[in-house]
């Protein structure tokens, strides 16, 4: 897994801010291997090995990899943790991943698929779940003498999520995409050149109940074409990686030209400097509700309609979102296995699209004179994100630690106001410690400290009396309890922090079979970290309390 918080290069497209790149291994081509895990929370089983082994006359191999992960903590929690309230721990997950690969002298092909589900259900207070299904295939063909193989891949994914709260305000979203990729590369005078074309089709669906108790359903379908080129050249102490990404958003007949650049300079064997910059474009947008105190759900939509025609006096002819990144970093590799890294980043989101939380009028002919800011479904915004990342990583034979600190700032601005987005987190510290007193035993400690996310506070509660046939007099029923909202996102949730400790002991059952026994305590000092807050009732749900746990892992 590679995480790019900013400044990613041209091989990644369609995203404004950050990228997570995941790659899965092939199964073992020599023998069957597996890992079976049983803990107080759930079970996990991984199997991989050869379906066809390499032969002297035929070097081709075929391998498989299967993984299943499931939970039963919601069933066993009342027995293992009797101090919990009647709601227990109503979390459920069930994940499956499978992959079959074949590899020969000149080619490598794999077919893979997954099915992931998660669910949380707190009786009538809150139910939320998501599901992700996907299929894909990838072929790499490179005859002898080729510097880079020809890569052809196709993937399909289907993501669905929903949330149902006590106020009967359901929200549902669905995100489906199909992506085809064709790419290769050249090697010229020790300079790598990579290029590819991609075609994608995207369908989004989003439905929610607005403040007027009306169901709003939005659907969109887009097709995009992307061509990118990437060059990597080494000149003495310099590593230069310029790139270009040309993205055609066919739904709006809009071309986006996005130059990218990554540079690394090795000052000495100990110190190196890095720099990255680029332009980025995205047509996908996400939405969270002002009514949510904790963000457990995001709705996804693309190619928005009924949007502002301009922003701050300037006409905008497209709804494609735009940003520019800049990252500068320094890394030090010390002889005693200590690595220190510092990075400063800034991201200018100079064109954003968001759902209009200020809408109070319908966009009709009767409201023609009303400004767009008060009647359009979508509005334009801009904003900045900037901050500092520090990392210390140390390892030796029996001790290692990993300490990271992030300082971040995010601001957004629409036509008439400046505000803090819901994902703004000022401080974040992660500490990981691993101590191995012997080769077969280890003790691990993890501690996280994070400042709270912003949210919109309650300014008051009132009885909402609705008109019946245009008059109050024909209705004798009480109104509904409703919220009068304060200034947007000016509140902050409490700080989050949690300490986990675990110990491990490995036993050799045979030359190829080991049994690992582990025990630990999650949330050692029982910090009450908020999970969910209901605005009307004030009911609060916290994350996991102090939880001793144990498990075993059989590897063969």
């Amino acid at each position: 897994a590679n995480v790019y918080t900013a400044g990613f290069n041209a091989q990644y497209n369609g995203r404004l801010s950050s990228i997570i790149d995941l790659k899965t291994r092939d199964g073992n081509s020599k023998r069957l291997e597996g890992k079976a895990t049983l803990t107080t929370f759930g079970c996990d089983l991984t199997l991989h090995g050869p379906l066809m082994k390499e032969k002297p006359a035929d070097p081709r191999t075929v391998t498989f990899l299967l993984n299943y992960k499931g939970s039963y903590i919601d069933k066993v929690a009342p027995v293992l943790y009797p101090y919990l309230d009647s709601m227990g721990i109503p979390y459920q997950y069930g994940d499956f991943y499978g992959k079959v690969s074949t590899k020969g002298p000149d080619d490598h092909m794999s077919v893979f698929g997954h099915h992931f589900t998660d669910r949380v259900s707190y009786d009538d207070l809150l139910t939320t779940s998501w599901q992700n299904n996907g299929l894909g295939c990838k072929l790499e063909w490179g005859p002898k003498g080729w510097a880079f193989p020809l890569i052809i891949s196709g993937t399909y994914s289907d993501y669905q999520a929903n949330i149902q709260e006590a106020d009967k305000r359901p929200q549902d979203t669905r995100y489906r995409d199909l992506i085809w990729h064709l790419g290769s590369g050249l090697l010229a005078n020790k300079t790598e050149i990579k290029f590819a074309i991609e075609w994608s089709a995207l369908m989004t669906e989003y439905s929610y109940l607005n403040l007027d108790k009306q169901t709003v359903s939005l659907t969109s379908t887009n097709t995009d074409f992307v061509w990118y080129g990437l060059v990597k050249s080494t000149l003495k102490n310099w590593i230069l990686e310029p790139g270009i990404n040309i993205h055609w958003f066919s739904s709006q007949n809009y071309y986006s030209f996005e130059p990218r650049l990554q540079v690394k300079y090795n000052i000495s064997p100990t110190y190196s400097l890095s720099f990255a910059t680029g332009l980025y474009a995205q047509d996908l947008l996400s939405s969270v509700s002002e009514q949510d105190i904790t963000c457990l759900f995001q709705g996804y939509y693309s190619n928005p309609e009924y949007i502002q025609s301009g922003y701050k006096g300037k006409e905008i002819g497209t709804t494609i979102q735009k940003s520019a990144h800049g990252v500068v970093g320094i890394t030090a590799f010390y002889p005693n296995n200590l690595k220190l890294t510092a990075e400063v980043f800034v991201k200018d989101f100079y064109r954003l699209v968001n759902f209009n939380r200020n809408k109070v009028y319908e966009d009709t002919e009767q409201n023609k004179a009303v400004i767009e800011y008060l009647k359009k479904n979508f509005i334009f915004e801009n904003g900045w994100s900037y901050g500092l990342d520090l990392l210390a990583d140390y390892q030796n034979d029996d001790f290692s630690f990993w300490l990271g600190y992030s300082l971040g700032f995010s601001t957004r601005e629409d036509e008439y106001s400046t505000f803090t987005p819901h994902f703004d987190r000022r401080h974040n510290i992660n500490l990981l410690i691993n101590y191995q007193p012997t080769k077969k035993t280890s003790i691990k400690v993890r501690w996280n400290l994070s400042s709270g996310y912003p949210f919109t506070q309650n300014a008051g509660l009132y009885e909402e009396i609705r008109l019946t046939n245009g008059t109050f007099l024909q209705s004798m029923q009480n109104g509904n309890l409703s919220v009068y909202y304060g200034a947007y996102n000016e509140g902050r949730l409490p700080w989050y922090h949690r300490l986990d400790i675990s110990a491990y002991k490995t036993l050799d059952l045979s030359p190829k079979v080991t049994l690992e026994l582990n025990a630990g305590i999650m949330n050692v000092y029982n910090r009450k970290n908020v999970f969910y807050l209901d605005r009307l009732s004030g009911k609060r749900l916290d994350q996991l309390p102090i939880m001793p746990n144990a498990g075993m892992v059989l590897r063969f």
Side-chain angles (χ1 to χ4, degrees), residues 25-31 47-50 62-65 99 101:
R25 58 174 172 159
D26 291 342
N28 192 321
S29 62
K30 303 295 184 181
R31 64 182 180 90
L47 290 173
H48 63 103
V62 180
T63 63
F64 77 95
L65 185 149
K99 182 178 184 180
S101 304

PDB file of all heavy atoms in Angstrom, residues 25-31 47-50 62-65 99 101:
ATOM      1  N   ARG A  25      -0.482  -9.498  -3.714  1.00  0.00           N
ATOM      2  CA  ARG A  25       0.515 -10.465  -4.145  1.00  0.00           C
ATOM      3  C   ARG A  25      -0.148 -11.645  -4.843  1.00  0.00           C
ATOM      4  O   ARG A  25      -1.355 -11.883  -4.709  1.00  0.00           O
ATOM      5  CB  ARG A  25       1.297 -10.966  -2.930  1.00  0.00           C
ATOM      6  CG  ARG A  25       0.392 -11.586  -1.886  1.00  0.00           C
ATOM      7  CD  ARG A  25       1.175 -12.200  -0.749  1.00  0.00           C
ATOM      8  NE  ARG A  25       0.286 -12.620   0.334  1.00  0.00           N
ATOM      9  CZ  ARG A  25       0.610 -13.507   1.243  1.00  0.00           C
ATOM     10  NH1 ARG A  25       1.787 -14.087   1.211  1.00  0.00           N
ATOM     11  NH2 ARG A  25      -0.241 -13.828   2.199  1.00  0.00           N
ATOM     12  N   ASP A  26       0.652 -12.439  -5.539  1.00  0.00           N
ATOM     13  CA  ASP A  26       0.208 -13.720  -6.072  1.00  0.00           C
ATOM     14  C   ASP A  26       0.358 -14.792  -4.995  1.00  0.00           C
ATOM     15  O   ASP A  26       1.051 -14.603  -3.988  1.00  0.00           O
ATOM     16  CB  ASP A  26       1.035 -14.121  -7.291  1.00  0.00           C
ATOM     17  CG  ASP A  26       0.768 -13.219  -8.485  1.00  0.00           C
ATOM     18  OD1 ASP A  26      -0.263 -12.523  -8.478  1.00  0.00           O
ATOM     19  OD2 ASP A  26       1.598 -13.214  -9.409  1.00  0.00           O
ATOM     20  N   GLY A  27      -0.278 -15.938  -5.237  1.00  0.00           N
ATOM     21  CA  GLY A  27      -0.091 -17.068  -4.336  1.00  0.00           C
ATOM     22  C   GLY A  27       1.290 -17.685  -4.487  1.00  0.00           C
ATOM     23  O   GLY A  27       1.997 -17.464  -5.474  1.00  0.00           O
ATOM     24  N   ASN A  28       1.686 -18.476  -3.506  1.00  0.00           N
ATOM     25  CA  ASN A  28       2.960 -19.186  -3.532  1.00  0.00           C
ATOM     26  C   ASN A  28       2.963 -20.186  -4.688  1.00  0.00           C
ATOM     27  O   ASN A  28       2.050 -21.000  -4.821  1.00  0.00           O
ATOM     28  CB  ASN A  28       3.181 -19.914  -2.205  1.00  0.00           C
ATOM     29  CG  ASN A  28       4.595 -20.433  -2.057  1.00  0.00           C
ATOM     30  OD1 ASN A  28       5.198 -20.925  -3.001  1.00  0.00           O
ATOM     31  ND2 ASN A  28       5.120 -20.328  -0.848  1.00  0.00           N
ATOM     32  N   SER A  29       3.969 -20.137  -5.535  1.00  0.00           N
ATOM     33  CA  SER A  29       4.036 -21.032  -6.696  1.00  0.00           C
ATOM     34  C   SER A  29       4.726 -22.361  -6.387  1.00  0.00           C
ATOM     35  O   SER A  29       4.760 -23.247  -7.237  1.00  0.00           O
ATOM     36  CB  SER A  29       4.779 -20.341  -7.845  1.00  0.00           C
ATOM     37  OG  SER A  29       6.116 -20.036  -7.464  1.00  0.00           O
ATOM     38  N   LYS A  30       5.267 -22.511  -5.157  1.00  0.00           N
ATOM     39  CA  LYS A  30       6.019 -23.725  -4.815  1.00  0.00           C
ATOM     40  C   LYS A  30       5.203 -24.705  -3.977  1.00  0.00           C
ATOM     41  O   LYS A  30       5.241 -25.913  -4.208  1.00  0.00           O
ATOM     42  CB  LYS A  30       7.296 -23.349  -4.044  1.00  0.00           C
ATOM     43  CG  LYS A  30       8.215 -22.384  -4.785  1.00  0.00           C
ATOM     44  CD  LYS A  30       8.782 -22.999  -6.050  1.00  0.00           C
ATOM     45  CE  LYS A  30       9.776 -22.029  -6.705  1.00  0.00           C
ATOM     46  NZ  LYS A  30      10.332 -22.596  -7.965  1.00  0.00           N
ATOM     47  N   ARG A  31       4.451 -24.180  -2.977  1.00  0.00           N
ATOM     48  CA  ARG A  31       3.731 -25.071  -2.072  1.00  0.00           C
ATOM     49  C   ARG A  31       2.532 -24.344  -1.477  1.00  0.00           C
ATOM     50  O   ARG A  31       2.425 -23.113  -1.549  1.00  0.00           O
ATOM     51  CB  ARG A  31       4.650 -25.563  -0.956  1.00  0.00           C
ATOM     52  CG  ARG A  31       5.157 -24.465  -0.025  1.00  0.00           C
ATOM     53  CD  ARG A  31       6.114 -25.033   1.023  1.00  0.00           C
ATOM     54  NE  ARG A  31       6.603 -23.984   1.921  1.00  0.00           N
ATOM     55  CZ  ARG A  31       5.988 -23.634   3.055  1.00  0.00           C
ATOM     56  NH1 ARG A  31       4.850 -24.237   3.403  1.00  0.00           N
ATOM     57  NH2 ARG A  31       6.495 -22.693   3.830  1.00  0.00           N
ATOM     58  N   LEU A  47      -5.536 -18.747   2.356  1.00  0.00           N
ATOM     59  CA  LEU A  47      -4.927 -19.902   1.711  1.00  0.00           C
ATOM     60  C   LEU A  47      -4.354 -19.466   0.369  1.00  0.00           C
ATOM     61  O   LEU A  47      -4.998 -18.715  -0.373  1.00  0.00           O
ATOM     62  CB  LEU A  47      -5.948 -21.019   1.474  1.00  0.00           C
ATOM     63  CG  LEU A  47      -6.485 -21.781   2.691  1.00  0.00           C
ATOM     64  CD1 LEU A  47      -7.597 -22.722   2.268  1.00  0.00           C
ATOM     65  CD2 LEU A  47      -5.359 -22.552   3.378  1.00  0.00           C
ATOM     66  N   HIS A  48      -3.158 -19.894   0.063  1.00  0.00           N
ATOM     67  CA  HIS A  48      -2.595 -19.621  -1.262  1.00  0.00           C
ATOM     68  C   HIS A  48      -1.563 -20.682  -1.604  1.00  0.00           C
ATOM     69  O   HIS A  48      -0.924 -21.267  -0.720  1.00  0.00           O
ATOM     70  CB  HIS A  48      -1.991 -18.210  -1.338  1.00  0.00           C
ATOM     71  CG  HIS A  48      -0.839 -17.980  -0.404  1.00  0.00           C
ATOM     72  ND1 HIS A  48       0.467 -17.978  -0.823  1.00  0.00           N
ATOM     73  CD2 HIS A  48      -0.811 -17.741   0.930  1.00  0.00           C
ATOM     74  CE1 HIS A  48       1.261 -17.727   0.206  1.00  0.00           C
ATOM     75  NE2 HIS A  48       0.517 -17.586   1.288  1.00  0.00           N
ATOM     76  N   GLY A  49      -1.452 -20.953  -2.887  1.00  0.00           N
ATOM     77  CA  GLY A  49      -0.520 -21.980  -3.328  1.00  0.00           C
ATOM     78  C   GLY A  49      -0.665 -22.251  -4.810  1.00  0.00           C
ATOM     79  O   GLY A  49      -1.391 -21.563  -5.537  1.00  0.00           O
ATOM     80  N   PRO A  50       0.015 -23.287  -5.297  1.00  0.00           N
ATOM     81  CA  PRO A  50       0.008 -23.577  -6.746  1.00  0.00           C
ATOM     82  C   PRO A  50      -1.196 -24.417  -7.165  1.00  0.00           C
ATOM     83  O   PRO A  50      -1.598 -25.343  -6.480  1.00  0.00           O
ATOM     84  CB  PRO A  50       1.307 -24.355  -6.934  1.00  0.00           C
ATOM     85  CG  PRO A  50       1.519 -25.048  -5.619  1.00  0.00           C
ATOM     86  CD  PRO A  50       0.968 -24.121  -4.562  1.00  0.00           C
ATOM     87  N   VAL A  62       0.546 -21.691 -12.254  1.00  0.00           N
ATOM     88  CA  VAL A  62      -0.779 -21.143 -11.971  1.00  0.00           C
ATOM     89  C   VAL A  62      -0.971 -21.198 -10.464  1.00  0.00           C
ATOM     90  O   VAL A  62      -0.769 -22.249  -9.840  1.00  0.00           O
ATOM     91  CB  VAL A  62      -1.895 -21.940 -12.679  1.00  0.00           C
ATOM     92  CG1 VAL A  62      -3.261 -21.334 -12.352  1.00  0.00           C
ATOM     93  CG2 VAL A  62      -1.664 -21.967 -14.185  1.00  0.00           C
ATOM     94  N   THR A  63      -1.322 -20.070  -9.856  1.00  0.00           N
ATOM     95  CA  THR A  63      -1.467 -19.993  -8.402  1.00  0.00           C
ATOM     96  C   THR A  63      -2.824 -19.415  -8.035  1.00  0.00           C
ATOM     97  O   THR A  63      -3.500 -18.787  -8.859  1.00  0.00           O
ATOM     98  CB  THR A  63      -0.367 -19.119  -7.781  1.00  0.00           C
ATOM     99  OG1 THR A  63      -0.505 -17.774  -8.277  1.00  0.00           O
ATOM    100  CG2 THR A  63       1.010 -19.648  -8.130  1.00  0.00           C
ATOM    101  N   PHE A  64      -3.200 -19.619  -6.775  1.00  0.00           N
ATOM    102  CA  PHE A  64      -4.439 -19.037  -6.264  1.00  0.00           C
ATOM    103  C   PHE A  64      -4.173 -18.384  -4.916  1.00  0.00           C
ATOM    104  O   PHE A  64      -3.201 -18.728  -4.204  1.00  0.00           O
ATOM    105  CB  PHE A  64      -5.527 -20.108  -6.118  1.00  0.00           C
ATOM    106  CG  PHE A  64      -5.351 -20.996  -4.912  1.00  0.00           C
ATOM    107  CD1 PHE A  64      -6.013 -20.723  -3.724  1.00  0.00           C
ATOM    108  CD2 PHE A  64      -4.514 -22.099  -4.966  1.00  0.00           C
ATOM    109  CE1 PHE A  64      -5.847 -21.523  -2.609  1.00  0.00           C
ATOM    110  CE2 PHE A  64      -4.334 -22.914  -3.854  1.00  0.00           C
ATOM    111  CZ  PHE A  64      -5.008 -22.623  -2.671  1.00  0.00           C
ATOM    112  N   LEU A  65      -5.031 -17.461  -4.550  1.00  0.00           N
ATOM    113  CA  LEU A  65      -4.995 -16.818  -3.232  1.00  0.00           C
ATOM    114  C   LEU A  65      -6.431 -16.544  -2.810  1.00  0.00           C
ATOM    115  O   LEU A  65      -7.200 -15.934  -3.558  1.00  0.00           O
ATOM    116  CB  LEU A  65      -4.194 -15.515  -3.266  1.00  0.00           C
ATOM    117  CG  LEU A  65      -3.978 -14.802  -1.933  1.00  0.00           C
ATOM    118  CD1 LEU A  65      -2.641 -14.059  -1.928  1.00  0.00           C
ATOM    119  CD2 LEU A  65      -5.091 -13.803  -1.628  1.00  0.00           C
ATOM    120  N   LYS A  99      -8.082 -14.560  -5.861  1.00  0.00           N
ATOM    121  CA  LYS A  99      -7.223 -14.212  -6.995  1.00  0.00           C
ATOM    122  C   LYS A  99      -6.601 -15.482  -7.575  1.00  0.00           C
ATOM    123  O   LYS A  99      -6.131 -16.351  -6.843  1.00  0.00           O
ATOM    124  CB  LYS A  99      -6.110 -13.263  -6.530  1.00  0.00           C
ATOM    125  CG  LYS A  99      -5.175 -12.787  -7.624  1.00  0.00           C
ATOM    126  CD  LYS A  99      -4.149 -11.822  -7.050  1.00  0.00           C
ATOM    127  CE  LYS A  99      -3.243 -11.242  -8.127  1.00  0.00           C
ATOM    128  NZ  LYS A  99      -2.251 -10.296  -7.552  1.00  0.00           N
ATOM    129  N   SER A 101      -3.732 -16.506 -10.596  1.00  0.00           N
ATOM    130  CA  SER A 101      -2.687 -15.910 -11.437  1.00  0.00           C
ATOM    131  C   SER A 101      -1.966 -16.996 -12.216  1.00  0.00           C
ATOM    132  O   SER A 101      -1.772 -18.118 -11.727  1.00  0.00           O
ATOM    133  CB  SER A 101      -1.673 -15.145 -10.582  1.00  0.00           C
ATOM    134  OG  SER A 101      -2.296 -14.160  -9.791  1.00  0.00           O
TER     135      SER A 101
END
